[in-house]
Amino acid sequence: MELSDLFNILHNAVEAQSNGKKITQKEMASLLGVSMRTYQDWRLGNAKPQAAKAVMQMLGRLEDDDIIRVVRKINRMEEAS
């Protein structure tokens, strides 16, 4: 699986979480704090951010419940900042 596949899967999952409401690449880039071009490059596989690959590999080693705990902790940290 390519890193671009993971970005596409995650993009689709975020859209599904929003009751199927389409989220543009520009909107997603803004949410992530990157330019639209950077986000497009990630989705197309033209750029492969090393940190993202490492994060995905680490998450892939966790059980489902642990992933949920990690994501919730990250969300709480984001809300506090």
Side-chain angles (χ1 to χ4, degrees), residues 4-40:
S4 59
D5 296 326
L6 295 173
F7 278 105
N8 288 314
I9 290 167
L10 289 169
H11 187 103
N12 293 338
V14 171
E15 285 183 336
Q17 183 72 30
S18 302
N19 296 319
K21 178 185 173 261
K22 293 291 181 187
I23 298 174
T24 67
Q25 291 186 78
K26 184 176 182 177
E27 291 170 318
M28 188 65 74
S30 178
L31 290 171
L32 296 173
V34 298
S35 71
M36 186 176 76
R37 179 62 188 205
T38 296
Y39 186 68
Q40 286 174 326

Side-chain angles (χ1 to χ4, degrees), residues 66-80:
D66 294 325
I67 293 171
I68 292 168
R69 275 192 287 282
V70 166
V71 170
R72 286 182 177 159
K73 186 173 185 174
I74 291 167
N75 287 340
R76 284 193 303 272
M77 291 169 68
E78 281 291 316
E79 291 170 0

Side-chain angles (χ1 to χ4, degrees), residues 39-76:
Y39 186 68
Q40 286 174 326
D41 284 344
W42 292 351
R43 288 193 74 189
L44 294 171
N46 296 333
K48 298 177 182 178
Q50 293 301 310
K53 182 176 181 180
V55 168
M56 296 309 297
Q57 288 173 333
M58 292 170 73
L59 287 173
R61 294 184 160 275
L62 299 175
E63 298 293 328
D64 292 352
D65 291 342
D66 294 325
I67 293 171
I68 292 168
R69 275 192 287 282
V70 166
V71 170
R72 286 182 177 159
K73 186 173 185 174
I74 291 167
N75 287 340
R76 284 193 303 272

